[in-house]
Amino acid sequence: PNVRKGQYELMKDVENALESKKSLIANAPSGIGKTAATLCPSLEYALLNKKTIFFLTPKHSQHKIVIDTLRRIKEKFNIDFIAVDIIGKKWLCPVSGIELLSTQDFNEYCATMRKNERCIFYNNTRENGDLSENAIKIAERILSEKPLHAEEIKSFCKGFCPYEIAIEIAKESCVIVCDYYHIFSLVREKLLSRINKYIEDSIIIVDEAHNLPERIRNILSFRLSNITLKNAEKEARRFGFDELAEKVSFINEAFENLRRKRNVNEFFIEKEEFIREIENIEEYHKIIEELETAAEHVREERKRSFLGSTARFLYYWQGEDEGYARIFRRESDEDKEKLSINYICLDPTILSKDIQDAHSVILISGTLNPTEMYRDILGFSKETLCKSYVSSFPPENRLNLFIPDITTEYKNRNEENFRRISNYLLRICSSIQGNIAIFFPSYEFRDKIYFMIKDSMKDRIIFLEIQNSTKEEKMKMLNSFMTTKNAILLGIQGGSFSEGVDFFGGVLKCVVVVGLSLGKPDLETKSLINYYEKRFGKGREYGYIYPAIRRALQAAGRCIRSEKDRAIVIFMDKRFLWKNYRTALPIEMEFKVTKDPEIYIKKFFEFSES
């Protein structure tokens, strides 16, 4: 009786995928109950057939939702199973200041500390590779509890390594809630080996799977800048590696040599061209060894080593050409010239293809449209079930308006067009009582509009999304916006507030999506388009248009978070109506095209009140 519309259909499709050992790509909108719909049939199947469920989700808040769902299933149906929540090792680590490190820097620091037996938390937890007597007691206590969130596990492990204890619990677990990184990275084989699990006996559920291709590409991409090299040189001198410091200085000079050869801001560079520059200094493999040896020495005193970062890049630079782009960039940053060499992954299947060996893989998200694109770029077979589900929210609770005489195309970014956009926004805001979120294609574009409208909106508090703000700063702004009446949020498509954030309680009365957040027309974007064109004959769609539509739809989805919410979504760009862009919009989306949004806004809210 509590199964929602669309949820039953999704549950049946999950059951069928599991029974037939196939994969499912499910484009399931908010409100359908994706977590329960995938977990319930998967758990039943896993317990009967001795399989392990890996539930992958990118945000810690979503980990909590999954664990809470598992608790309810356990209590309601009185099922006996073990589940564990494992977040990134860095976030479980009790060492202070560790959160400031990148994942790669942390992993190298952690490995050095364990190797040299200098981590007190690890030493307390492991004795000759096995859990210590006291650590076993903690693990047993955790196992006796209901499924715990990672933060709760951490609170049980005072003086011990929470990650190592979570790994031990994972050996006994039927459900492992973890991050993308644990399965879609180079650590996967090591992790599976440690917890005695096999990919063939695994059911892998990927939540918010629209993020997966880009996340994999980021994991497999590497970058080295002249700023890192300058810091590495200083680090080498500080720790007495003067000869190595000279070699690092020569690598920095090699950057300058490459820049002088071509007087452009970015260009493609061959693998061998950079290696030859390095080998003018020292044999390539030898300099990597010297850098890493020095980095280990540095990590005994510091958590991060720039010498280690340099060694890591040089090591991965030797990788394959197929599925990658090698790009030299020159950028200006506060009057400083920033040079970088980038080894950029274009092909997510480098990591995702091996996942096809799993019993079943289930990808779920509210913006996996078109599903065939995700099937193609993640390397799933043609037998994969690709399906879209209808929202369980009443369609009359959301009004979609398309404004046809606006565009944010680069060629039309002139004063007249900015003024037209500003006027539309002022008209929309003056027609709506309640909070409004407006999402722009970039910070620069947003700021231009903000300065045009701010003096006409002095009666309303405007919140500006801040680039590179901390998690705490974002939460503070979100809470303040939620508790301020008639507030306006000016955010960015693909930013902190357009995805993975819930504006609960019907706070948002309107979302305006201004333009399309298309990728910068740089060499990386062009490389991605060319690669997808070569592979699938759909380069512009897969590498440029559809990702922008997805960012717009994610932003649009912020306002309707429950079946009681009512709101208006306004898309301001004529390209949303073009055929090649419309393909990526939900088939069931109904909309009105208008240059007079106030008329529809008034009717919609009058109907709400009646």
Side-chain angles (χ1 to χ4, degrees):
N2 294 326
V3 177
R4 303 174 201 172
K5 176 185 174 184
Q7 191 178 39
Y8 179 77
E9 190 182 350
L10 176 56
M11 289 173 74
K12 281 294 174 188
D13 287 334
V14 171
E15 282 178 18
N16 291 336
L18 295 171
E19 292 290 347
S20 58
K21 289 185 67 174
K22 289 185 178 177
S23 293
L24 168 66
I25 299 177
N27 181 41
S30 295
I32 208 169
K34 297 187 282 285
T35 305
T38 50
L39 269 178
C40 287
S42 298
L43 184 58
E44 183 180 7
Y45 187 91
L47 290 170
L48 285 171
N49 296 278
K50 296 183 179 177
K51 304 297 179 189
T52 301
I53 299 168
F54 288 89
F55 196 108
L56 279 54
T57 188
K59 288 190 167 63
H60 294 181
S61 58
Q62 289 163 318
H63 281 242
K64 188 175 185 299
I65 291 168
V66 180
I67 290 294
D68 287 346
T69 303
L70 288 167
R71 285 177 180 175
R72 287 196 296 273
I73 292 171
K74 194 167 190 173
E75 289 165 10
K76 185 172 181 179
F77 300 104
N78 196 27
I79 303 172
D80 185 28
F81 64 89
I82 297 170
V84 67
D85 181 19
I86 305 177
I87 57 176
K89 191 175 185 179
K90 177 176 79 171
W91 303 110
L92 284 171
C93 181
V95 176
S96 62
I98 216 76
E99 66 281 354
L100 301 174
L101 299 181
S102 71
T103 299
Q104 290 167 331
D105 284 330
F106 168 77
N107 287 340
E108 288 168 355
Y109 167 75
C110 178
T112 299
M113 294 295 283
R114 283 186 286 115
K115 178 183 173 183
N116 297 334
E117 298 183 358
R118 294 189 62 222
C119 178
I120 188 171
F121 303 104
Y122 183 83
N123 294 344
N124 288 343
T125 307
R126 295 279 182 193
E127 289 177 359
N128 301 318
D130 296 322
L131 280 192
S132 66
E133 194 174 322
N134 287 330
I136 289 171
K137 289 177 183 175
I138 292 170
E140 287 173 348
R141 188 181 166 200
I142 291 169
L143 282 166
S144 69
E145 297 279 334
K146 57 192 174 184
L148 299 176
H149 310 134
E151 291 296 334
E152 291 172 322
I153 292 174
K154 188 175 180 178
S155 70
F156 274 82
C157 299
K158 301 295 185 198
F160 295 84
C161 176
Y163 182 80
E164 290 298 320
I165 289 174
I167 285 293
E168 287 298 316
I169 295 168
K171 292 177 182 179
E172 311 296 323
S173 296
C174 171
V175 185
I176 300 169
V177 184
C178 55
D179 293 337
Y180 290 173
Y181 186 78
H182 291 113
I183 297 297
F184 292 101
S185 80
L186 304 172
V187 307
R188 177 179 64 223
E189 294 306 321
K190 184 179 177 183
L191 174 70
L192 292 175
S193 174
R194 287 197 69 192
I195 61 177
N196 303 326
K197 306 290 185 185
Y198 299 93
I199 199 77
E200 297 81 5
D201 292 325
S202 301
I203 298 164
I204 298 172
I205 303 171
V206 185
D207 191 22
E208 299 297 329
H210 62 271
N211 290 311
L212 188 57
E214 190 173 354
R215 281 289 292 274
I216 293 175
R217 289 182 51 236
N218 287 340
I219 286 167
L220 293 177
S221 296
F222 302 91
R223 179 173 178 273
L224 181 64
S225 72
N226 60 340
I227 294 169
T228 298
L229 287 168
K230 284 172 186 172
N231 285 325
E233 183 185 346
K234 288 177 188 173
E235 186 176 273
R237 294 196 190 283
R238 184 184 184 283
F239 283 85
F241 298 103
D242 292 337
E243 192 177 330
L244 183 59
E246 288 300 318
K247 292 175 183 178
V248 173
S249 177
F250 284 131
I251 297 174
N252 215 347
E253 284 182 30
F255 269 52
E256 290 291 339
N257 293 339
L258 290 166
R259 181 186 65 80
R260 281 192 289 267
K261 285 180 185 177
R262 305 169 180 87
N263 191 26
V264 289
N265 286 334
E266 59 172 4
F267 54 85
F268 292 112
I269 177 172
E270 297 290 329
K271 181 204 303 190
E272 293 303 325
E273 183 180 3
F274 183 55
I275 289 176
R276 280 196 302 271
E277 289 283 349
I278 302 296
E279 290 193 327
N280 288 330
I281 308 159
E282 177 75 89
E283 285 182 50
Y284 194 83
H285 72 277
K286 201 170 177 183
I287 201 163
I288 294 173
E289 288 173 10
E290 288 179 35
L291 286 163
E292 190 46 58
T293 300
E296 283 202 28
H297 184 80
V298 171
R299 291 188 201 107
E300 290 181 8
E301 186 177 315
R302 291 180 173 181
K303 295 182 177 71
R304 180 184 182 187
S305 169
F306 293 101
L307 292 166
S309 299
T310 305
R312 181 170 61 238
F313 176 84
L314 295 181
Y315 172 79
Y316 284 110
W317 181 257
Q318 301 170 95
E320 297 293 324
D321 284 330
E322 181 63 25
Y324 281 86
R326 300 174 191 267
I327 298 170
F328 187 100
R329 286 190 180 130
R330 180 176 67 179
E331 302 161 276
S332 294
D333 185 19
E334 296 178 1
D335 299 327
K336 291 180 183 176
E337 188 173 61
K338 192 175 183 180
L339 307 177
S340 65
I341 294 183
N342 302 268
Y343 182 49
I344 299 166
C345 178
L346 307 172
D347 186 2
T349 66
I350 292 168
L351 277 180
S352 62
K353 64 186 176 190
D354 295 338
I355 299 302
Q356 316 305 316
D357 295 333
H359 179 89
S360 291
V361 181
I362 299 159
L363 305 185
I364 50 171
S365 170
T367 51
L368 280 179
N369 195 45
T371 50
E372 291 77 13
M373 177 183 85
Y374 291 91
R375 181 196 65 196
D376 289 347
I377 64 178
L378 290 169
F380 282 77
S381 70
K382 296 292 182 185
E383 287 80 48
T384 301
L385 176 62
C386 296
K387 194 163 179 181
S388 291
Y389 301 83
V390 177
S391 173
S392 60
F393 296 155
E396 64 271 16
N397 283 7
R398 171 169 157 170
L399 172 65
N400 298 301
L401 299 178
F402 283 34
I403 295 180
D405 59 337
I406 290 293
T407 185
T408 59
E409 289 175 287
Y410 281 98
K411 64 183 180 183
N412 288 308
R413 291 191 179 183
N414 51 49
E415 198 67 23
E416 181 188 347
N417 196 39
F418 282 125
R419 186 61 59 194
R420 187 184 298 123
I421 292 169
S422 300
N423 288 338
Y424 264 119
L425 291 176
L426 289 171
R427 286 162 55 192
I428 290 164
C429 292
S430 65
S431 304
I432 295 172
Q433 287 295 306
N435 289 21
I436 301 170
I438 306 171
F439 294 103
F440 296 87
S442 68
Y443 287 97
E444 184 183 0
F445 197 104
R446 188 273 311 271
D447 292 343
K448 182 85 175 172
I449 299 295
Y450 168 64
F451 286 114
M452 286 183 161
I453 65 174
K454 64 173 185 171
D455 290 339
S456 301
M457 302 182 75
K458 289 180 178 176
D459 58 328
R460 303 181 83 148
I461 295 175
I462 297 177
F463 291 81
L464 296 175
E465 179 179 333
I466 299 167
Q467 196 169 9
N468 301 323
S469 55
T470 65
K471 185 179 177 181
E472 291 72 25
E473 288 168 341
K474 290 171 192 170
M475 288 309 298
K476 186 178 178 182
M477 179 181 285
L478 177 63
N479 291 334
S480 185
F481 174 76
M482 295 274 283
T483 54
T484 302
K485 286 187 176 181
N486 296 323
I488 294 173
L489 171 67
L490 303 185
I492 310 301
Q493 294 171 48
S496 299
F497 298 103
S498 67
E499 297 190 27
V501 173
D502 282 329
F503 295 88
F504 288 113
V507 165
L508 274 185
K509 299 303 177 189
C510 178
V511 167
V512 185
V513 179
V514 179
L516 281 157
S517 178
L518 292 158
K520 285 170 64 177
D522 55 16
L523 290 183
E524 181 177 350
T525 299
K526 289 173 184 174
S527 298
L528 197 60
I529 290 170
N530 291 339
Y531 189 74
Y532 286 155
E533 184 64 33
K534 184 175 77 172
R535 289 282 306 275
F536 312 113
K538 294 184 177 180
R540 190 168 167 79
E541 291 87 348
Y542 285 8
Y544 193 60
I545 294 173
Y546 295 168
I549 294 288
R550 177 189 61 73
R551 285 188 281 272
L553 290 173
Q554 279 287 328
R558 294 312 95 201
C559 55
I560 303 285
R561 308 307 292 174
S562 80
E563 57 191 21
K564 293 181 180 178
D565 294 343
R566 286 180 59 83
I568 297 172
V569 179
I570 302 174
F571 296 90
M572 289 176 60
D573 200 301
K574 62 185 180 184
R575 288 172 291 180
F576 285 111
L577 297 167
W578 293 358
K579 185 179 177 182
N580 54 339
Y581 288 77
R582 281 274 304 279
T583 306
L585 294 173
I587 296 170
E588 73 277 5
M589 180 187 276
E590 295 181 3
F591 57 86
K592 307 286 185 186
V593 180
T594 181
K595 294 180 184 178
D596 299 302
E598 304 96 323
I599 296 170
Y600 289 96
I601 291 168
K602 186 180 178 186
K603 283 181 183 176
F604 180 80
F605 286 116
E606 280 178 353
F607 179 79
S608 299
E609 289 166 9
S610 66

